[in-house]
Amino acid sequence: MASSHGELQFGRLRGLRAKLLRRYEHRPLVSCLLGLYGCRWRRHERSCTQPGEDCCCNKLEAASFALLVAAFCLTLLFLYFWGQAKNDYNDFDWFNFGNLGFWFPWSVVLLVIAAGFFTYITVLMLLAVCLLSEGQKLYLHWSHKIGILVSLTFSVVATAVLSDLWSKEWTTLLLSFQVTAPFLHVGGVLLMTVLAWPIALHFYRMNSRVRRGLIVGVYLSVLSALYLVPLGLYSPCIKEDGTLGPPPALIGHRGAPMLAPENTLMSFEKAVETGSDGLETDVTISLDGVPFLMHDQTLRRTTNIHEVFPNRTNTPSAMFTWAELESLNAGAWFLSHNPFGTAGSLGADDRRRAEKQSVCSLWAFLQLAAQKDKLVIFDLYRPPRGHPYRDTWIQRTLEVIQNESSIHSSQVLWLPSDLRALVQEMDPELQQTSGSRLPPEELQSNHIVKLNLHYSSMSALLVREYAAVNVTTNLYVISQPWLYSVAWCSGVHSVTTNAPQLLGTMRAPLFLMVTNKMSALHTCFLFTTTLYISTLTAGKG
């Protein structure tokens, strides 16, 4: 009698489960999902799994779904990676210009392609999850299978190539986690919340205890990982209230290159107008001994050399006389190439002025800095072999600083490492600056007062260590607000930037969190995790 009663109860439970599962069948919706996912319209009833069936698809479709998941993860990784690399898009595009010989915004094209593939894969993932939650067998159309393979191949190849050519960007990715990790964590929490009910429905369609245990084990493992992530979370922007220091001073990288052609007088004037505390440039020596501003070894990229001297486009810029350099236009390229996508924002007067810019001399640059009381820092390139100033390029530069311009030596952050002891002896008022991480004792013995490092060297501990021996830190090139925020929270003293007009308007770091708010966030995560488990347990009941 007891056995019959138990069988009756078990039968009622099975019937209840079947009714519950049928309750969540939405035929028009399922028809649409099947049509989009597998081009199988009005056939959802024949492909529907019944309660107790363990297979949601055959082996081929299971492999396709596994590739879909892999493609989703890899396209997401690459899209995030390339999105965070925006700070260095300009370097990437000019690198391609040097190799291909023509200008094109490849960085933006790559971002659009990555976003397109990710959107496509995400839509397929959502369709698959919805079909599984509705108890449908998966059948992916062959065209989508090809699309998944193309997306997967693109993500793998692009990641591998960029890792080989531009491995420093992985450091940028790691730095980005210092400000985005809490928000990525919340995104993971929301994703797991959304998946809780579809997973529970799929769980109760399965009779195999092994498969049930596997699906629950994977889900709870991800939950546990999400819960433990905050315990290892570090960010310099998680601070005690009132411990945030002043914002880093801004040094215009080749002026304000988003507002005017780089390394022109107009560019430096724009940097001054935006409130930059210093100006950065690159100096070389003309054939007749005039120091002038030019970053590249040749004049191809930033002048009309191909029009004026078509047979000398690959000649080193130092092998031209100053009169020849003055005859070149150094501004029209900015309007035609639009390297930062900002040329269209210039007014008519600025556009006319930009297209008439010429190569700027070191003297003119120093005079502007002297008049506006700005610091200057520059790389100094040694002329090529056969140049008359090959061995006296440093002395010639010092002559312009000391005798020809009106700038005070104390305004100059002297970066060149060649003959540093001689330079220190000739002009002890120069602020000796090192481009290498050296032991504090060595910096002091060489009278170095500032470090000029790539932003990938950013570390709050490093900054404090050098500040303890009165050595300040400048990082280059930082143009994105999130990266500037990390530098600010890390205690960096100054940054070289392409965007002084943007960073100068920031009144506080992005993503700044005080410790008591983080404690509240951890409590929220604990509550959410408990909610996950409760949801799954409730489904079992």
Side-chain angles (χ1 to χ4, degrees):
M1 184 69 179
S3 176
S4 299
H5 179 72
E7 290 178 359
L8 180 61
Q9 290 293 103
F10 182 71
R12 288 178 177 176
L13 287 175
R14 291 189 63 182
L16 179 62
R17 187 175 75 172
K19 289 181 179 178
L20 176 64
L21 295 176
R22 284 196 300 270
R23 169 67 180 81
Y24 288 97
E25 287 184 3
H26 311 291
R27 295 189 179 186
L29 173 63
V30 171
S31 296
C32 182
L33 294 176
L34 286 171
L36 294 173
Y37 189 79
C39 293
R40 305 179 75 183
W41 302 93
R42 300 179 182 177
R43 289 195 288 176
H44 73 278
E45 291 181 326
R46 283 186 288 173
S47 65
C48 184
T49 59
Q50 299 301 320
E53 292 187 16
D54 287 331
C55 293
C56 61
C57 53
N58 58 38
K59 292 182 179 180
L60 177 61
E61 295 305 320
S64 299
F65 183 72
L67 282 177
L68 177 61
V69 174
F72 174 79
C73 295
L74 288 175
T75 53
L76 175 60
L77 172 64
F78 181 76
L79 180 62
Y80 181 80
F81 168 78
W82 195 240
Q84 296 306 310
K86 187 177 181 181
N87 186 80
D88 302 320
Y89 279 1
N90 193 247
D91 294 339
F92 178 78
D93 290 334
W94 286 127
F95 170 81
N96 288 319
F97 174 87
N99 287 281
L100 301 175
F102 64 92
W103 165 261
F104 193 77
W106 297 106
S107 57
V108 177
V109 172
L110 195 57
L111 181 65
V112 171
I113 294 174
F117 277 131
F118 175 71
T119 302
Y120 170 67
I121 294 298
T122 300
V123 170
L124 287 181
M125 277 288 294
L126 290 174
L127 291 173
V129 170
C130 291
L131 286 171
L132 290 174
S133 68
E134 290 292 337
Q136 298 296 312
K137 287 187 176 182
L138 296 182
Y139 174 80
L140 185 64
H141 194 260
W142 63 267
S143 60
H144 288 321
K145 292 174 182 175
I146 294 175
I148 290 172
L149 289 175
V150 171
S151 302
L152 192 60
T153 302
F154 167 81
S155 300
V156 171
V157 171
T159 303
V161 170
L162 288 174
S163 295
D164 182 55
L165 298 178
W166 218 14
S167 58
K168 277 188 175 181
E169 287 308 305
W170 288 110
T171 303
T172 307
L173 184 71
L174 295 177
L175 284 173
S176 74
F177 288 143
Q178 294 187 11
V179 293
T180 62
F183 304 92
L184 292 175
H185 191 198
V186 171
V189 165
L190 292 175
L191 177 62
M192 294 304 292
T193 302
V194 171
L195 290 177
W197 187 245
I199 288 176
L201 284 174
H202 191 62
F203 174 83
Y204 292 111
R205 295 182 189 277
M206 306 171 72
N207 277 346
S208 171
R209 292 185 178 181
V210 174
R211 293 184 178 181
R212 282 189 172 190
L214 181 62
I215 193 172
V216 171
V218 170
Y219 185 76
L220 293 181
S221 296
V222 175
L223 287 180
S224 300
L226 279 173
Y227 176 64
L228 293 175
V229 161
L231 300 179
L233 184 64
Y234 166 75
S235 171
C237 288
I238 301 175
K239 307 181 77 68
E240 295 285 348
D241 195 16
T243 60
L244 179 67
L250 300 178
I251 298 178
H253 183 235
R254 307 173 202 169
M258 292 184 178
L259 305 178
E262 69 177 57
N263 276 335
T264 62
L265 201 57
M266 178 183 177
S267 184
F268 297 112
E269 289 172 348
K270 288 291 185 182
V272 170
E273 291 174 10
T274 60
S276 296
D277 300 280
L279 306 172
E280 185 273 348
T281 189
D282 313 275
V283 177
T284 190
I285 313 293
S286 72
L287 196 63
D288 50 350
V290 178
F292 66 98
L293 313 186
M294 185 61 57
H295 174 267
D296 299 359
Q297 294 299 311
T298 70
L299 301 165
R300 286 192 312 149
R301 182 173 66 90
T302 58
T303 73
N304 63 337
I305 182 72
H306 61 284
E307 297 175 358
V308 182
F309 303 106
N311 297 324
R312 302 172 66 187
T313 55
N314 293 319
T315 302
S317 59
M319 301 307 288
F320 289 79
T321 66
W322 178 240
E324 291 172 330
L325 292 167
E326 280 190 304
S327 70
L328 299 174
N329 183 296
W333 69 274
F334 176 77
L335 300 178
S336 60
H337 290 352
N338 195 13
F340 291 96
T342 53
S345 64
L346 300 183
D349 291 341
D350 280 342
R351 292 180 65 87
R352 285 192 293 269
R353 187 180 172 200
E355 65 184 2
K356 295 179 180 179
Q357 291 300 297
S358 59
V359 176
C360 184
S361 67
L362 176 62
W363 175 85
F365 169 73
L366 295 177
Q367 288 298 98
L368 175 64
Q371 293 169 8
K372 302 299 182 180
D373 193 26
K374 301 297 181 182
L375 296 174
V376 299
I377 182 172
F378 53 82
D379 285 310
L380 179 59
Y381 301 139
R382 188 178 186 181
R385 295 184 184 278
H387 193 284
Y389 290 87
R390 166 76 177 176
D391 298 321
T392 57
W393 84 108
I394 288 182
Q395 292 87 334
R396 179 69 189 106
T397 304
L398 286 174
E399 284 179 12
V400 175
I401 294 174
Q402 295 174 321
N403 303 325
E404 299 177 19
S405 73
S406 59
I407 196 169
H408 295 293
S409 295
S410 59
Q411 292 176 247
V412 179
L413 305 176
W414 184 264
L415 183 59
S417 58
D418 301 272
L419 306 177
R420 189 181 292 277
L422 176 62
V423 172
Q424 172 67 19
E425 182 180 345
M426 294 177 64
D427 194 341
E429 292 188 15
L430 294 170
Q431 294 193 48
Q432 294 295 324
T433 303
S434 174
S436 304
R437 290 176 58 176
L438 300 172
E441 302 78 16
E442 187 174 346
L443 295 176
Q444 287 182 308
S445 64
N446 290 322
H447 307 284
I448 292 172
V449 297
K450 183 178 280 290
L451 286 176
N452 184 58
L453 304 174
H454 188 265
Y455 71 79
S456 59
S457 302
M458 190 185 310
S459 163
L461 181 62
L462 176 76
V463 172
R464 289 195 299 269
E465 178 184 348
Y466 287 115
V469 293
N470 297 318
V471 176
T472 57
T473 305
N474 180 72
L475 299 180
Y476 65 89
V477 173
I478 291 178
S479 302
Q480 289 298 303
W482 74 263
L483 197 52
Y484 182 67
S485 297
V486 178
W488 188 344
C489 295
S490 298
V492 172
H493 301 90
S494 61
V495 301
T496 302
T497 179
N498 288 324
Q501 77 283 359
L502 175 62
L503 303 187
T505 62
M506 293 179 61
R507 296 294 173 261
L510 302 178
F511 316 114
L512 180 64
M513 289 184 171
V514 294
T515 51
N516 60 338
K517 289 183 179 179
M518 286 302 297
S519 298
L521 189 60
H522 289 171
T523 302
C524 178
F525 289 153
L526 176 60
F527 172 76
T528 309
T529 303
T530 305
L531 182 61
Y532 293 156
I533 300 173
S534 299
T535 301
L536 199 57
T537 305
K540 184 176 180 179

